[in-house]
Amino acid sequence: MTEPQLYFEDIKIGDGMETPGQTLTETDMIRYAALTGEWDERFTDAVAARTSESGTRVLPELLALCISSGLGWRGPQPSLAILAFMGLEWQFLRPLRIGDTIRSRSRTLAKRSVKDGGVLVEEREIVNQRGEVVQSGRLTLLLAKRPAR
């Protein structure tokens, strides 16, 4: 038995969702750095943490984007039937630090049908525990159409 999915036809312009939150940890940072090789001193240097405003290290900007993408799979709604990731326009607005909790909010801006699927443009924001938008942008996805019965 397969998991339920949302197909192109199921999505309406203006539809939105919010993911559960996740607190960012030092372990998240180390796993990210080990996977990407991004061992920048801003992220790994304890001296940088002692001299920062909050006393904690700044996290790599792409870490939050990666985690927020995964959070979308943990929401209460079925997952999107994504065939391809087509594009990304993204802004990094505020730094994130160890101990911050993020969640993602998204809303469908546009959609258009193509031969074997449909293109969906989604506006997404990553929000911290204080409700501040820390990153935002648009994702363009290719979704599957509902299979013929």
Side-chain angles (χ1 to χ4, degrees), residues 85-96:
F85 176 76
M86 298 176 64
L88 174 70
E89 298 172 43
W90 206 250
Q91 295 180 318
F92 303 98
L93 305 170
R94 296 176 181 266
L96 285 163

Side-chain angles (χ1 to χ4, degrees), residues 69-105:
S69 180
L71 290 174
W73 298 96
R74 292 182 22 210
Q77 71 290 331
S79 61
L80 296 174
I82 298 172
L83 297 175
F85 176 76
M86 298 176 64
L88 174 70
E89 298 172 43
W90 206 250
Q91 295 180 318
F92 303 98
L93 305 170
R94 296 176 181 266
L96 285 163
R97 302 184 188 286
I98 294 169
D100 283 345
T101 299
I102 61 169
R103 67 184 190 285
S104 178
R105 298 187 297 221

Side-chain angles (χ1 to χ4, degrees), residues 102-127:
I102 61 169
R103 67 184 190 285
S104 178
R105 298 187 297 221
S106 64
R107 182 174 64 93
T108 302
L109 294 179
K111 62 182 260 185
R112 67 180 166 85
S113 183
V114 293
K115 183 178 179 183
D116 295 324
V119 176
L120 180 77
V121 178
E122 179 181 275
E123 176 180 63
R124 185 174 291 179
E125 297 177 327
I126 300 174
V127 181

